[in-house]
Amino acid sequence: MEIARKFKSAFSTVPMLGWMLGILTGVLIEFYWGYDYISYYLGLPKIPVLFGTLIMLKEPMMIPGALGYDLAVYVVPVFLVAKLTSGLTNPLAALLEKLPLALSVLIHLVLFYGILHLWAGINDYRVLVIKLTMISIILTVSINVINGYQGEFSCSHPGFMALGAYVSSIITLVLFANDKIFGAPLLPPEYGPWFFPLALVAGGAAAALGSLAVAIPSFRTRGDYLAIISLAFMFIVKSAVENLHIIGGARGMGGQPDFAPLHVIFIWTILCIWIIHNFVTSIMGKALNTVRDDEAASESMTIKTRKTKMTAFMFGAFWAGVGGGLFAHVLAYINPGMFSINRLAEILAMVYFGGLNSIVGSIVGAVSINVLGEALRPLELFKWIIIPLILIFVMIFRPYGLISFTELNMKKLLRAKTGKGV
Amino acid sequence: MESIIDILQYIVQNLINAAQRGSFYAVISIGYSMVYGVLMLFNFAHGDIFMVGTYIGFGIATLFLAIFAGLLPGPLIFLSTVVVTMFLASWIGVLVEVAGYRPLREAPRASAAITGLMIGIIFETGILILLGAKRLSFPPLMESVTYHIGGVYFTNVKAMIIILSLLLMLALHGFIQKTKWGMAMRAMSYDFLAVPLMGVSINIIAPLTFAVGAGLASVAGILYGQAYPILDPYMGVIIGWKAFVAAILGGRGSIKGAALAGYLLGFIEIFVATIFPSTLRDLIAYSIILVILTFRPRGFFGMEHSTKLRL
């Protein structure tokens, strides 16, 4: 414990910029020397995709090599660079602090995206994992509006996702793709990426309209009855799509054009986090919390509970629809079976693992469940015993999730750290 | 040219099918409803307890058929299978309560719901690891005899499923209304906080409730195995959610309501499937439920609970 405390205090002077610089160094080391030198001399067949867990679980003999790789590429350079450059990065961070917060955040985000792009560029599998993780972040943050901030137990997120996925896929397939069902494209495919945001927004709008089917009954019912209504809504959407043979029915719909590269998904994720953060810290967001805590009292405090509930539902559903649209274009294939109970269990697990009423918590939950799921993939079936057990323990020791009731504070996160008054 | 009699026969035939399907849903959703009544939480692992119960029933049935086939008459083998399976499966319910839900008694209800979902996934994966992905088929415990009365066909298995479910529900009713344990359960669902002050331990009543629910689910599993003999580790998922729907539709904590709603769900599903293409079954069934809940937001026998939803 003493060592851990010393370690923590030694690195308490490193600002966010310093950590980013450290990670950048690690990624650059992997990019230039990973294949030819480091993995070769450590006896690894190739660069570990996800920090070596896949290799370690498949071939136990490789454990020292994979651990050595992680140490040589990530751990040592990150901590070393972060510590050594803190004399340089702290004044820089202090300088950035003088800029408007939005600009400072933007600079950090650009830097972060650069690192992510470089790291993911090593192979396609990493790209896919990052894309799906970001989509999970969108879904988790958006369900947190309904389940965390508004305090309902909504089960309809896969339904909203399906609405968004199908509507945006139909739009892009009709307009920009040569498709079996809809024939030749109506517009030149070059315009596709520029119109893609509109298709996503249309998908989100469809999901928001669909959410009225859950939002309007929520005026009269709460809790478990609303859970059933939302569950029924999810089954209805899935079943309706299965019976619409023009859009593929139960066979699904494929061939969505690839309009969703990494940077597009990154921008949408940041937009989602930013807008939802603004929403939940606005007066409307506070009203949402009062509706959750005591509906009658908030009504008497002149809060329009109906309007608040409806907005929250439509807002959450909109972003779920956007997430669904991105999901469809990443996989280039969707079928109704993707938006069923299993997806629901996954989304609920992510939001309750990460933490209610907190955007940071949602991000942590989505990232950890996704990365854990990918890292434990070689365990096959046993993965589905380990992950649920972890979740049960989290629920027992932290019933509201790992990081709950905490707001995102960019200013605190990005400030210079002088070691005094941390 | 269909005559009135043909139509009547058709309706009665489907009524019997619907009663059979409704029986499963009713027996399973009673387990949900009981747990809700006593502990105010929904046991999302119930569908998978049903699945595990079916597998236990499968094991016991195979064992008993191997030992007693030819020695004992069919109905006796059947009854002993039911009794032994109920006993074994009820321990699964106790295990779930003690290991999963007891540490969460003070926690928000949503955490308990997530724990239930995760326990369900652990059960599914556990069965998959233990027995492999091979689909097993439930051995018939009784020789199937088809009766033909007035143009309506039914088998003795079907009749037995319906009659046994009704008997079980009556027995449960008696248990809850007449015995001391039942009285404690009713008191617990009436006032969760005051009852422990009267010397009734919730640490006994809660596992008992889970045990009864799991026992009922396992019997439903045996009956299900007789009607649709294919077993697979994920069979509990959809049935569990449907039973959850039935439990809510009946009004929370109301056992009578859960049974009624279970039968209603069975009837809706069968009649939708006979009138419309069967792919529309879920669509129409859930739309009807949505409409019912919009107009009757507390379910059939639900009462206004003053307890506020704890996040």
Side-chain angles (χ1 to χ4, degrees):
Chain A
M1 256 8 274
E2 192 55 40
I3 298 171
R5 203 174 302 127
K6 265 187 188 159
F7 196 75
K8 203 180 160 196
S9 72
F11 287 96
S12 66
T13 56
V14 178
M16 189 45 106
L17 213 57
W19 289 118
M20 282 196 177
L21 205 65
I23 297 169
L24 180 66
T25 321
V27 171
L28 281 175
I29 290 173
E30 182 172 47
F31 194 75
Y32 285 111
W33 298 309
Y35 251 111
D36 302 336
Y37 303 103
I38 301 171
S39 62
Y40 177 77
Y41 286 115
L42 286 171
L44 299 174
K46 57 181 196 286
I47 289 182
V49 261
L50 278 179
F51 307 112
T53 37
L54 296 169
I55 298 178
M56 285 193 259
L57 291 172
K58 262 186 200 149
E59 289 170 61
M61 293 305 288
M62 298 273 188
I63 288 178
L67 283 181
Y69 184 88
D70 279 347
L71 271 178
V73 174
Y74 294 110
V75 180
V76 174
V78 168
F79 283 95
L80 211 63
V81 170
K83 182 70 191 161
L84 288 181
T85 57
S86 67
L88 190 72
T89 46
N90 263 324
L92 209 61
L95 211 65
L96 283 178
E97 249 180 306
K98 294 207 177 71
L99 294 176
L101 185 65
L103 198 65
S104 160
V105 170
L106 195 69
I107 292 171
H108 279 87
L109 279 178
V110 169
L111 193 62
F112 179 63
Y113 178 74
I115 296 169
L116 205 64
H117 192 90
L118 211 59
W119 185 76
I122 304 237
N123 60 34
D124 289 346
Y125 174 69
R126 279 186 188 178
V127 178
L128 188 66
V129 169
I130 291 184
K131 279 180 180 177
L132 292 180
T133 307
M134 284 182 178
I135 291 169
S136 300
I137 291 177
I138 295 182
L139 294 172
T140 313
V141 172
S142 66
I143 201 177
N144 212 343
V145 174
I146 303 172
N147 283 28
Y149 289 89
Q150 202 194 341
E152 306 284 3
F153 195 80
S154 163
C155 301
S156 44
H157 240 55
F160 299 147
M161 221 179 134
L163 283 176
Y166 270 91
V167 169
S168 57
S169 305
I170 289 169
I171 291 174
T172 51
L173 283 176
V174 168
L175 292 181
F176 305 109
N178 200 356
D179 186 63
K180 281 201 293 285
I181 308 171
F182 303 112
L186 296 177
L187 292 174
E190 305 87 85
Y191 294 163
W194 302 105
F195 276 94
F196 183 55
L198 290 181
L200 281 182
V201 169
L209 277 182
S211 77
L212 288 179
V214 186
I216 289 171
S218 81
F219 299 154
R220 296 186 62 194
T221 49
R222 293 208 72 192
D224 309 315
Y225 296 98
L226 197 68
I228 288 295
I229 288 172
S230 58
L231 191 70
F233 174 79
M234 188 197 90
F235 278 118
I236 289 169
V237 170
K238 178 171 171 269
S239 189
V241 172
E242 269 168 6
N243 284 294
L244 277 175
H245 295 292
I246 186 159
I247 53 171
R251 273 181 296 114
M253 186 158 74
Q256 283 89 340
D258 184 19
F259 292 153
L262 192 57
H263 61 93
V264 172
I265 296 182
F266 185 79
I267 290 170
W268 277 100
T269 311
I270 297 301
L271 261 181
C272 169
I273 293 172
W274 182 52
I275 293 176
I276 288 186
H277 175 257
N278 282 351
F279 175 71
V280 296
T281 47
S282 68
I283 293 174
M284 183 74 110
K286 304 290 177 212
L288 212 57
N289 280 356
T290 64
V291 170
R292 174 193 67 204
D293 292 337
D294 196 326
E295 204 170 325
S298 66
E299 180 106 44
S300 67
M301 292 292 175
T302 71
I303 286 167
K304 291 177 185 140
T305 50
R306 293 193 167 194
K307 188 181 152 207
T308 316
K309 283 178 173 181
M310 227 156 98
T311 318
F313 264 107
M314 291 180 76
F315 204 73
F318 173 83
W319 284 105
V322 170
L326 288 169
F327 182 76
H329 286 82
V330 165
L331 294 188
Y333 170 72
I334 42 175
N335 70 21
M338 288 174 175
F339 307 107
S340 64
I341 293 281
N342 293 343
R343 177 80 49 198
L344 174 69
E346 198 185 307
I347 295 175
L348 287 178
M350 288 191 290
V351 66
Y352 285 96
F353 178 79
L356 290 176
N357 220 63
S358 160
I359 286 176
V360 199
S362 293
I363 298 171
V364 169
V367 172
S368 29
I369 296 278
N370 264 284
V371 170
L372 211 62
E374 289 301 326
L376 297 180
R377 193 175 279 277
L379 292 179
E380 288 163 21
L381 280 176
F382 286 96
K383 176 177 123 178
W384 289 116
I385 291 194
I386 293 174
I387 293 178
L389 274 180
I390 293 174
L391 258 158
I392 291 174
F393 281 116
V394 168
M395 288 292 111
I396 289 174
F397 293 111
R398 293 189 74 98
Y400 290 96
L402 282 180
I403 304 169
S404 48
F405 297 93
T406 318
E407 285 308 333
L408 196 63
N409 192 342
M410 283 319 247
K411 206 162 189 166
K412 199 176 158 196
L413 200 67
L414 301 182
R415 68 168 185 207
K417 287 177 182 157
T418 49
K420 279 169 263 165
V422 174
Chain B
M1 181 67 200
E2 284 183 55
S3 67
I4 293 288
I5 301 212
D6 281 338
I7 295 172
L8 262 178
Q9 277 173 359
Y10 187 70
I11 290 176
V12 172
Q13 182 75 61
N14 278 310
L15 272 176
I16 292 174
N17 291 344
Q20 183 200 14
R21 204 181 181 82
S23 300
F24 301 131
Y25 291 149
V27 172
I28 300 168
S29 56
I30 283 173
Y32 261 102
S33 217
M34 280 178 70
V35 170
Y36 191 91
V38 172
L39 284 180
M40 289 286 173
L41 62 85
F42 274 104
N43 175 14
F44 277 117
H46 197 63
D48 293 288
I49 292 177
F50 159 78
M51 182 271 297
V52 175
T54 314
Y55 272 89
I56 293 176
F58 166 80
I60 300 293
T62 322
L63 189 75
F64 279 13
L65 279 179
I67 301 172
F68 300 122
L71 291 175
L72 292 176
L76 207 60
I77 296 183
F78 182 85
L79 274 182
S80 46
T81 308
V82 167
V83 171
V84 175
T85 308
M86 255 181 115
F87 177 74
L88 290 178
S90 54
W91 288 101
I92 300 282
V94 175
L95 183 77
V96 168
E97 201 277 332
V98 172
Y101 290 115
R102 190 170 292 181
L104 290 171
R105 215 168 268 163
E106 302 298 319
R109 292 179 48 214
S111 327
I114 297 297
T115 305
L117 281 177
M118 294 305 130
I119 291 174
I121 293 176
I122 292 176
F123 276 152
E124 285 156 21
T125 320
I127 292 282
L128 211 57
I129 290 170
L130 283 177
L131 299 173
K134 192 180 59 173
R135 288 187 163 197
L136 303 166
S137 80
F138 209 97
L141 286 161
M142 279 162 58
E143 256 179 80
S144 173
V145 185
T146 309
Y147 299 101
H148 181 222
I149 296 172
V152 177
Y153 293 87
F154 64 96
T155 60
N156 59 344
V157 175
K158 215 172 255 182
M160 184 206 59
I161 288 172
I162 297 169
I163 292 166
L164 193 63
S165 324
L166 286 175
L167 281 179
L168 266 177
M169 283 182 237
L170 279 179
L172 183 73
H173 186 74
F175 174 74
I176 288 182
Q177 295 297 334
K178 301 278 188 253
T179 64
K180 228 174 181 175
W181 298 114
M183 197 163 96
M185 281 182 191
R186 276 183 292 142
M188 204 67 96
S189 71
Y190 190 73
D191 194 332
F192 190 84
L193 293 173
V195 172
L197 303 177
M198 307 294 146
V200 180
S201 169
I202 188 161
N203 284 348
I204 293 172
I205 298 303
L208 183 72
T209 316
F210 271 82
V212 173
L216 285 176
S218 72
V219 179
I222 296 177
L223 299 179
Y224 191 84
Q226 296 297 300
Y228 315 96
I230 302 295
L231 299 187
D232 110 88
Y234 297 101
M235 64 195 259
V237 180
I238 288 295
I239 290 184
W241 284 100
K242 279 184 178 162
F244 173 46
V245 170
I248 296 270
L249 197 60
R252 50 185 165 194
S254 159
I255 290 172
K256 200 166 46 172
L260 189 72
Y263 277 108
L264 182 77
L265 195 61
F267 277 84
I268 293 174
E269 285 195 355
I270 292 289
F271 275 90
V272 166
T274 52
I275 296 166
F276 301 101
S278 64
T279 47
L280 289 176
R281 194 180 67 199
D282 279 5
L283 184 69
I284 296 175
Y286 284 104
S287 304
I288 292 173
I289 287 162
L290 204 63
V291 172
I292 293 176
L293 278 182
T294 310
F295 287 104
R296 221 185 140 68
R298 310 262 161 235
F300 295 147
F301 295 105
M303 282 172 294
E304 184 77 54
H305 276 243
S306 59
T307 45
K308 199 157 58 69
L309 180 75
R310 279 182 288 153
L311 188 65

